[in-house]
Amino acid sequence: MKNRTMARQDDEDTKPNDAAAAVEPRRSRPQRVAEAIKDFVVAEGLHKGDRLPGEAELMARFGMAKGTIREAMRILEAQGLVKTRTGPGGGSFVHEVSAERARALLGNYFYFRDLTLHDIYQLRRLLEPELAASLAGKLDAGQLAQLSAVVATYDHPAADAEEEREQHVASLRFHQLLSEFAENELLGFLIGFMARILSDLTVYRKLYEPPNIELWSRGRAFQIELIEALGAGDADRARLVMADHMATAESLMEGQESRVLNRFISQ
């Protein structure tokens, strides 16, 4: 069935007639069609791997020219929502954006913005204690073993800057792993994203140099205590341990950043 509403919107030069329209920039025709196709996918209950209608059917459904439909499909493919295959059995199929790709795309948004450690830890201090409390008593032996295995990879102080860098990244992997266990997918995604951003920031700002034994020892001790609280099902203790962990990490990381900056200025 032809989407008369979509066609009518394209025939008219819509003018802003309220505050929202005045602020929101007018989307291009392919962008509007892309949004309509997404609505169609939801309305039809399509899932990853399901085939989308062919080009001719989409043209008829939305009352659009071939070029507009193709551009709309390119937009959806760039967003990771559509996968196109050529050859026998080919066509356009519903695709699912992975959490890793979503974090990478969101990371690109913040790439040229001057994020500070305080910006990141302001959120970590709010969210991570709640994640820890929500997981207390809900992780099985295998999941607790995975957390312990991560901590075991930095069971000794770093001997040099390279090992310090590896230990920083591994310690943040601990938090990414916790985020993957979250029952609240949005909470888990945000925490995993912040761990990724902090890991990248640590590397490109060289916050791992020189090695910081206090940061290693206190961070590792908090993580071991947290695993014990999670295994014991003690939500209050898990929340408190994570809150102390985040506050201590922020203070020590900011001190590390100051030392790196002072070393750079003195050179």
Side-chain angles (χ1 to χ4, degrees):
M1 179 184 295
K2 184 175 178 179
N3 188 323
R4 294 187 178 85
T5 301
M6 177 65 70
R8 187 166 58 251
Q9 288 176 343
D10 283 302
D11 291 337
E12 298 175 357
D13 183 17
T14 306
K15 296 180 180 180
N17 55 11
D18 55 32
V23 173
E24 183 178 345
R26 190 166 186 261
R27 293 177 297 176
S28 69
R29 188 174 298 178
Q31 287 174 325
R32 296 201 303 278
V33 174
E35 288 299 316
I37 293 173
K38 287 161 62 175
D39 291 342
F40 166 79
V41 168
V42 174
E44 294 295 315
L46 301 182
H47 300 286
K48 179 181 178 181
D50 289 342
R51 183 189 295 271
L52 289 168
E55 188 175 87
E57 185 178 342
L58 290 174
M59 289 170 60
R61 176 178 293 276
F62 298 113
M64 294 293 160
K66 181 186 295 184
T68 299
I69 294 297
R70 289 184 176 179
E71 183 60 28
M73 295 301 286
R74 280 193 287 268
I75 289 172
L76 293 173
E77 190 161 14
Q79 293 174 350
L81 298 172
V82 166
K83 189 78 170 179
T84 301
R85 296 200 297 265
T86 58
S92 296
F93 300 85
V94 177
H95 193 58
E96 187 177 89
V97 180
S98 68
E100 188 61 26
R101 180 173 183 182
R103 291 188 185 110
L105 291 172
L106 189 56
N108 290 339
Y109 173 79
F110 287 104
Y111 189 81
F112 294 107
R113 285 164 173 77
D114 189 23
L115 284 180
T116 65
L117 288 172
H118 177 71
D119 292 334
I120 297 171
Y121 275 98
Q122 186 175 26
L123 287 177
R124 294 191 79 194
R125 291 176 67 171
L126 286 172
L127 300 182
E128 296 218 30
E130 295 311 309
L131 173 64
S134 72
L135 294 176
K138 297 181 180 178
L139 301 184
D140 59 35
Q143 291 171 318
L144 293 170
Q146 288 181 62
L147 293 170
S148 296
V150 173
V151 177
T153 63
Y154 40 92
D155 60 356
H156 60 277
D160 51 38
E162 178 61 22
E163 187 174 18
E164 180 81 357
R165 181 188 67 79
E166 293 174 356
Q167 289 189 355
H168 267 287
V169 173
S171 68
L172 288 167
R173 172 58 188 155
F174 177 92
H175 296 273
Q176 288 176 309
L177 186 57
L178 269 181
S179 74
E180 293 170 11
F181 297 152
E183 294 180 344
N184 182 326
E185 289 192 26
L186 179 58
L187 179 61
F189 178 86
L190 292 173
I191 290 173
F193 173 69
M194 288 187 292
R196 178 194 176 100
I197 286 289
L198 186 55
S199 179
D200 291 345
L201 184 148
T202 296
V203 171
Y204 74 71
R205 292 187 186 175
K206 295 187 176 181
L207 301 183
Y208 54 85
E209 191 176 0
N212 189 324
I213 293 181
E214 183 180 10
L215 181 61
W216 164 80
S217 63
R218 297 189 69 180
R220 184 171 180 275
F222 278 126
Q223 291 177 347
I224 292 172
E225 187 177 358
L226 178 62
I227 293 172
E228 293 175 352
L230 293 173
D234 191 336
D236 290 337
R237 182 183 170 204
R239 180 185 289 108
L240 180 60
V241 170
M242 183 64 89
D244 288 345
H245 183 18
M246 291 297 98
T248 301
E250 179 179 14
S251 176
L252 292 176
M253 285 291 286
E254 287 182 338
Q256 184 81 353
E257 186 175 45
S258 295
R259 284 191 288 274
V260 170
L261 180 60
N262 291 335
R263 187 177 71 248
F264 175 78
I265 293 174
S266 65
Q267 290 177 347

